[in-house]
Amino acid sequence: MKRFVILICLYTLFLSGEILAQKPDNHSKGFISWCRENKIATGLDAGISIGSMGIGLEVKTPVTKWTDIRAGIDWLPRIDVPLSFNLNTFSDGIPTGNFNKVANMLYENTGIKMDETVHMTGKGSMVNFKFLIDFFPKPSNRHWHITAGFYAGTSMIAKAVNTYEEKPTLVGLNIYNRAYEYFTNLKSIYNVPLLDPEKVKDLQKRFKEYGRMGMHIGDFKDGTPYIMDPAPDGTLSARAFVNHFKPYLGAGYSTDLDKGKRWHFSVDIGALFWGGAPNVINHDYNTGKDINFTKDLVNIRGKVGTYMKVVKALPVYPVVALQFSYSIL
């Protein structure tokens, strides 16, 4: 698709150059008059648009009887979406339901209070430069057009991070899991300094009973549960990525709004090919690998699962834009 759109753009530019290189049939007329008569590179429109790509600014000029060229910038303002995960305890990936016991144990030993639900905020935004070529099948009717071109811009289109209020809970989770790994893998109860062996023995028993803590986000394709942990600094985050270069194909309709044909209105509908469904990536610090929620996981839970269904349903991004423009030349 990317090569196809590039070829269309190059062909159109080549065709424009060929026409502009032709000499006027009537040598008594100047070249500028001939261009105006044939509606070639004779004007410049400036416009503002609003739609699924956000708010846009662009300029447009006719290059041949059949084509206009548009260029500009689209900005999708930041959209915040609430997310949440429930904490639980697990043994071999099976929930043990001991969150309250762990929370009480952690508070008794550290004074840290944990919340069972971890809240996050998903933040989406895009900025793209666009270069589009409108083709008019009938030069005598410059209302309906077919559009090909590309958008180029941000690759990271969204990220999700924990809210500030969740930091104590996430730090407490890391402290508990470090202690869990230490005491469940301890070879001798007499090897812990400053602690009575009987206390160590009790802690071992409790850790093994309670299990490790984390967030069951979803399952790997082989059925293994994916338990997400915070980063070492006590933060949670995930990021959504698409291609920098995004080919576009679409169609539209434009019309004049005044008798002087200075004000214009247009509607465009099309598809942005941004590289398949966005990749939602979380770095797993336990394994040192990136986990792709889009490709690696199934049965994703809660609101995150609902949002991921939407993400997976968008291998192309639908574009709808309404534009008002004014002829400044």
Side-chain angles (χ1 to χ4, degrees), residues 24-30:
D25 294 331
N26 189 344
H27 295 285
S28 63
K29 296 181 180 180

PDB file of all heavy atoms in Angstrom, residues 24-30:
ATOM      1  N   PRO A  24       1.858  27.220 -24.694  1.00  0.00           N
ATOM      2  CA  PRO A  24       0.484  27.570 -24.989  1.00  0.00           C
ATOM      3  C   PRO A  24       0.199  27.445 -26.481  1.00  0.00           C
ATOM      4  O   PRO A  24       1.059  27.723 -27.322  1.00  0.00           O
ATOM      5  CB  PRO A  24       0.383  29.026 -24.521  1.00  0.00           C
ATOM      6  CG  PRO A  24       1.532  29.209 -23.553  1.00  0.00           C
ATOM      7  CD  PRO A  24       2.610  28.310 -24.047  1.00  0.00           C
ATOM      8  N   ASP A  25      -1.049  27.039 -26.787  1.00  0.00           N
ATOM      9  CA  ASP A  25      -1.434  26.932 -28.189  1.00  0.00           C
ATOM     10  C   ASP A  25      -1.464  28.295 -28.861  1.00  0.00           C
ATOM     11  O   ASP A  25      -1.088  28.451 -30.024  1.00  0.00           O
ATOM     12  CB  ASP A  25      -2.802  26.262 -28.297  1.00  0.00           C
ATOM     13  CG  ASP A  25      -2.755  24.823 -27.830  1.00  0.00           C
ATOM     14  OD1 ASP A  25      -1.678  24.207 -27.958  1.00  0.00           O
ATOM     15  OD2 ASP A  25      -3.773  24.347 -27.318  1.00  0.00           O
ATOM     16  N   ASN A  26      -1.911  29.310 -28.148  1.00  0.00           N
ATOM     17  CA  ASN A  26      -2.009  30.651 -28.684  1.00  0.00           C
ATOM     18  C   ASN A  26      -0.813  31.459 -28.204  1.00  0.00           C
ATOM     19  O   ASN A  26      -0.733  31.858 -27.053  1.00  0.00           O
ATOM     20  CB  ASN A  26      -3.310  31.304 -28.223  1.00  0.00           C
ATOM     21  CG  ASN A  26      -3.563  32.628 -28.921  1.00  0.00           C
ATOM     22  OD1 ASN A  26      -2.658  33.198 -29.515  1.00  0.00           O
ATOM     23  ND2 ASN A  26      -4.805  33.094 -28.842  1.00  0.00           N
ATOM     24  N   HIS A  27       0.148  31.670 -29.110  1.00  0.00           N
ATOM     25  CA  HIS A  27       1.395  32.333 -28.717  1.00  0.00           C
ATOM     26  C   HIS A  27       1.193  33.802 -28.391  1.00  0.00           C
ATOM     27  O   HIS A  27       2.082  34.429 -27.822  1.00  0.00           O
ATOM     28  CB  HIS A  27       2.442  32.187 -29.818  1.00  0.00           C
ATOM     29  CG  HIS A  27       2.862  30.761 -30.036  1.00  0.00           C
ATOM     30  ND1 HIS A  27       3.695  30.079 -29.175  1.00  0.00           N
ATOM     31  CD2 HIS A  27       2.534  29.891 -31.024  1.00  0.00           C
ATOM     32  CE1 HIS A  27       3.887  28.842 -29.621  1.00  0.00           C
ATOM     33  NE2 HIS A  27       3.184  28.701 -30.753  1.00  0.00           N
ATOM     34  N   SER A  28       0.051  34.337 -28.745  1.00  0.00           N
ATOM     35  CA  SER A  28      -0.204  35.736 -28.447  1.00  0.00           C
ATOM     36  C   SER A  28      -0.542  35.952 -26.983  1.00  0.00           C
ATOM     37  O   SER A  28      -0.519  37.061 -26.487  1.00  0.00           O
ATOM     38  CB  SER A  28      -1.365  36.273 -29.313  1.00  0.00           C
ATOM     39  OG  SER A  28      -2.556  35.581 -29.012  1.00  0.00           O
ATOM     40  N   LYS A  29      -0.895  34.859 -26.314  1.00  0.00           N
ATOM     41  CA  LYS A  29      -1.212  34.953 -24.898  1.00  0.00           C
ATOM     42  C   LYS A  29       0.027  34.645 -24.072  1.00  0.00           C
ATOM     43  O   LYS A  29       0.843  33.834 -24.445  1.00  0.00           O
ATOM     44  CB  LYS A  29      -2.323  33.967 -24.525  1.00  0.00           C
ATOM     45  CG  LYS A  29      -3.649  34.265 -25.211  1.00  0.00           C
ATOM     46  CD  LYS A  29      -4.677  33.252 -24.761  1.00  0.00           C
ATOM     47  CE  LYS A  29      -6.025  33.525 -25.421  1.00  0.00           C
ATOM     48  NZ  LYS A  29      -7.052  32.541 -24.986  1.00  0.00           N
ATOM     49  N   GLY A  30       0.135  35.292 -22.981  1.00  0.00           N
ATOM     50  CA  GLY A  30       1.254  35.031 -22.088  1.00  0.00           C
ATOM     51  C   GLY A  30       1.072  33.708 -21.366  1.00  0.00           C
ATOM     52  O   GLY A  30      -0.028  33.152 -21.301  1.00  0.00           O
TER      53      GLY A  30
END
